[in-house]
Amino acid sequence: MVNSVMEKIKGGLVVSCQALEDEPLHSAFIMSKMALAAVQGGAVGIRANTAKDIRAIQSEVDVPIIGIYKKDYADSDVFITPTLKEVREICETGVGIVAMDATTRKRPHNEDLKEILSAIRKEFPNTLFMADTGSIEDVYYADSLGFDLIGTTLYGYTEETANKNISDHDFSHLKEVLKSTKRPVIAEGKIDSPSKARQVLTLGCYAVVVGGAVTRPQEITTRFTNEIQKIQEERGK
């Protein structure tokens, strides 16, 4: 099963279908249809948030799913599948891959990532685990813990990397990640155009995850309206 999951996503596009509680499309039903549309468009996999959304998506499509559970805790900035409880809940859905924050930051309740990974592997030996990293230090850390895949998901989203983009300086961060690990690298985070998706695969990434550029209409609309606003501002000069 593990090899089958990896083979199915190799060299392809994984679409992140997520809508948080404060977003207009927040609905397991809507996300399942978003996933169906993505697969019909050629996506080889889906990244989804919460067991409820995952199960709805599983009823619509038969492609590998990278499952996560976003949850905020008051004592930590870690929110992507942050504790053993969330990791276990996502594993129980039967997804092929479970992703979790693999930064070196303090986790909720002072849980230890090494202990989480060790415990969950015993319970779900056939599940693959993906490390969502933000820095090269995170990549080395995740590699040392034995994660199956390395993701660049949090580059640009941590305090250390705020406002950075995966394509900055000709994808210099991604190139360094690829040199720093022999594990499959999943490019994810601010990949907002087909050309960027193509380039990260050309550089050697195993697969690419695209989210907001496909599945968040408010973000897509904002990109258009920002450009239109520039015209209006120029005309007003």
Side-chain angles (χ1 to χ4, degrees):
M1 190 273 285
V2 167
N3 290 336
S4 174
V5 169
M6 292 298 291
E7 189 60 34
K8 287 177 180 177
I9 67 170
K10 186 176 182 179
L13 171 68
V14 176
V15 172
S16 183
C17 297
Q18 301 178 46
L20 302 179
E21 292 182 5
D22 61 345
E23 296 181 67
L25 298 187
H26 178 66
S27 160
F29 172 77
I30 293 175
M31 288 302 103
S32 72
K33 295 302 181 182
M34 188 76 79
L36 178 59
V39 171
Q40 288 180 350
V44 299
I46 300 295
R47 180 167 164 125
N49 175 41
T50 75
K52 183 177 181 180
D53 280 16
I54 288 168
R55 291 193 172 96
I57 290 169
Q58 287 170 327
S59 70
E60 288 284 355
V61 299
D62 184 23
V63 297
I65 295 175
I66 301 174
I68 65 170
Y69 189 152
K70 289 182 176 177
K71 185 169 182 179
D72 293 320
Y73 283 90
D75 63 338
S76 173
D77 291 330
V78 172
F79 67 95
I80 297 179
T81 333
T83 75
L84 180 58
K85 178 181 177 181
E86 289 85 41
V87 176
R88 182 179 288 120
E89 184 170 335
I90 299 305
C91 285
E92 288 172 347
T93 66
V95 294
I97 302 171
V98 175
M100 65 186 89
D101 181 307
T103 65
T104 58
R105 297 179 295 183
K106 173 181 174 292
R107 303 187 84 81
H109 314 319
N110 284 317
E111 286 195 16
D112 182 79
L113 184 57
K114 182 178 181 179
E115 293 176 359
I116 292 174
L117 194 59
S118 176
I120 206 66
R121 281 199 185 280
K122 293 176 183 177
E123 295 180 44
F124 299 91
N126 294 322
T127 303
L128 294 171
F129 294 95
M130 174 174 163
D132 286 349
T133 67
S135 68
I136 295 300
E137 182 183 6
D138 296 337
V139 172
Y140 285 128
Y141 177 53
D143 210 348
S144 72
L145 296 182
F147 275 89
D148 302 293
L149 304 94
I150 303 293
T152 58
T153 317
L154 290 167
Y155 183 72
Y157 295 97
T158 62
E159 184 177 356
E160 177 186 356
T161 65
N163 300 317
K164 293 184 179 180
N165 192 298
I166 197 73
S167 61
D168 288 344
H169 310 295
D170 192 28
F171 296 90
S172 60
H173 173 74
L174 180 59
K175 290 175 181 177
E176 191 172 355
V177 171
L178 288 164
K179 291 179 181 178
S180 301
T181 180
K182 293 183 179 180
R183 301 183 193 277
V185 173
I186 308 294
E188 180 176 5
K190 300 185 179 182
I191 299 172
D192 55 9
S193 70
S195 62
K196 287 183 182 181
R198 177 177 179 174
Q199 185 149 0
V200 299
L201 291 173
T202 301
L203 288 172
C205 289
Y206 195 86
V208 57
V209 176
V210 176
V214 174
T215 58
R216 280 201 161 98
Q218 65 271 43
E219 292 184 13
I220 299 167
T221 303
T222 299
R223 291 169 63 188
F224 281 90
T225 55
N226 283 346
E227 288 302 312
I228 292 171
Q229 182 64 34
K230 292 177 184 178
I231 297 174
Q232 295 172 345
E233 291 173 353
E234 290 171 0
R235 288 174 178 173
K237 290 182 180 178

